[in-house]
Amino acid sequence: ILGVLGLTLFKGPLDTIDSIAVLPLENLTGDAEQEYFVDGVTDELIGQLGQISGLRRVISRTSVMRYKNTDKSLPEIAREMNVDALVEGTVYQVGENISIKLQLFDALPEERSLWTQRYDRPITDVLVMYGEMARAIAENIQVKLTAQEETRFTGARQVNPEAYEAYVRGSYKWMNFMTPEDLDTAEKHFDLALEKDPSYAPAYAGRAWVWIIRNQ
């Protein structure tokens, strides 16, 4: 059964929350080869939250990745990154369907769980799901979306699964490149994404990233 199960754990008044970090999601798929996809979910959530004007600070991917597999407490992490709230997540399944659980915490002065929700969707709806996640997080930290932001999140389209898969693989290679060959591999994945869906704009952006790095 595909659907969404959510639970808001705290509904009392909040101090103002306008800064947030998405910690690297945990891969519980049982397949270490899916790490690229799990990191891609982290990147997408950061990107979606970064488009919300009511959030003063959304911590970058580069800064949050150093907390991958950390044993530090949430309040420690929040103090180090100077944020009010943290998002943790777990990816349980990747394939024709994707299953993700998110948790939202008001981290300071003490850890307080605000919301948790599990999403189970077909991979074709992954972009729609990311928009729903961002909207739910904003709602639960009482950040009001603009009309334009509401339209953007609700207007996400279905995605060609093969195009999305190729794009995420390309992004993972680009984000973690060590050699020129890594950039070549990233570009091949972006080209494949565009072959599968010529209208998939993020793949064009990916090719531009590769070009910029090569010409630095």
Side-chain angles (χ1 to χ4, degrees), residues 10-146:
F10 180 81
K11 276 294 187 181
L14 293 176
D15 294 331
T16 299
I17 292 179
D18 63 1
S19 57
I20 194 167
V22 179
L23 297 180
L25 271 66
E26 185 177 4
N27 179 7
L28 290 186
T29 65
D31 182 0
E33 293 297 317
Q34 294 296 337
E35 199 65 28
Y36 75 94
F37 192 98
V38 176
D39 281 356
V41 178
T42 304
D43 295 341
E44 287 286 352
L45 281 175
I46 292 170
Q48 294 282 349
L49 292 173
Q51 298 180 64
I52 297 176
S53 58
L55 285 171
R56 177 176 54 86
R57 292 179 66 237
V58 178
I59 302 302
S60 71
R61 177 193 192 277
T62 302
S63 295
V64 301
M65 279 299 170
R66 63 193 174 101
Y67 292 100
K68 194 166 188 173
N69 302 317
T70 186
D71 57 1
K72 291 185 176 182
S73 70
L74 295 184
E76 283 181 284
I77 295 171
R79 290 188 187 95
E80 288 179 6
M81 291 197 288
N82 191 28
V83 294
D84 306 311
L86 295 169
V87 176
E88 284 190 322
T90 305
V91 179
Y92 292 98
Q93 179 182 347
V94 174
E96 291 186 5
N97 297 318
I98 180 171
S99 180
I100 300 172
K101 180 181 178 181
L102 295 183
Q103 293 178 279
L104 173 67
F105 296 90
D106 182 3
L108 295 174
E110 296 179 349
E111 177 183 326
R112 181 174 60 169
S113 185
L114 301 176
W115 166 84
T116 184
Q117 186 153 308
R118 179 163 173 161
Y119 295 81
D120 297 279
R121 293 294 179 82
I123 192 66
T124 53
D125 288 345
V126 67
L127 300 184
V128 177
M129 182 176 65
Y130 293 143
E132 291 179 358
M133 290 174 173
R135 290 177 67 210
I137 291 168
E139 178 183 348
N140 281 278
I141 58 175
Q142 299 176 18
V143 169
K144 186 173 178 57
L145 301 178
T146 66

Side-chain angles (χ1 to χ4, degrees), residues 167 171 174-175 190 202 204-214:
Y167 168 73
S171 294
W174 176 77
M175 293 284 190
F190 293 138
Y204 287 103
R207 289 172 61 180
W209 296 335
V210 171
W211 185 86
I212 290 169
I213 293 296
R214 280 181 177 153

